[in-house]
Amino acid sequence: SSAASDVYKRQPLFCHIDEEGISVTQGEASSSCKWSDLRKVVYRKNEMYLFTSAIYATIITRNSCEKKFDELVAFVKEKTKK
């Protein structure tokens, strides 16, 4: 792997979820997606996959949520129900 990608991998990824949608920031890069634009959500026991495109998903793990994972899953389900 290149030195640039190694630096990128070491930067923490911050995920912000609110009434509007989800935004993800890592270093200088950021992206956001409204709930209505989310393509798909896949729920597993310890992860939640938020697909913002056909090939890109933000993965939120139980370990990254400081014991609020179930609460977060319930919030996302409420926001994404059709």
Side-chain angles (χ1 to χ4, degrees), residues 26-45:
Q26 186 173 28
E28 298 294 312
S30 68
S31 66
S32 62
C33 185
K34 289 184 162 76
W35 293 120
S36 57
D37 295 336
L38 209 58
R39 290 179 65 122
K40 181 180 179 182
V41 183
V42 176
Y43 303 97
R44 298 283 182 258
K45 183 179 177 204

Side-chain angles (χ1 to χ4, degrees), residues 11-75:
Q11 291 185 317
L13 188 117
F14 296 98
C15 186
H16 178 79
I17 294 175
D18 62 20
E19 294 293 325
E20 298 298 312
I22 177 171
S23 59
V24 178
T25 307
Q26 186 173 28
E28 298 294 312
S30 68
S31 66
S32 62
C33 185
K34 289 184 162 76
W35 293 120
S36 57
D37 295 336
L38 209 58
R39 290 179 65 122
K40 181 180 179 182
V41 183
V42 176
Y43 303 97
R44 298 283 182 258
K45 183 179 177 204
N46 294 309
E47 304 93 29
M48 179 170 43
Y49 299 82
L50 304 169
F51 284 88
T52 52
S53 75
I55 59 168
Y56 181 79
T58 298
I59 303 167
I60 300 173
T61 63
R62 183 176 294 279
N63 291 343
S64 69
C65 291
E66 299 173 351
K67 299 184 178 161
K68 294 196 181 280
F69 184 75
D70 295 324
E71 184 180 321
L72 185 59
V73 166
F75 180 80

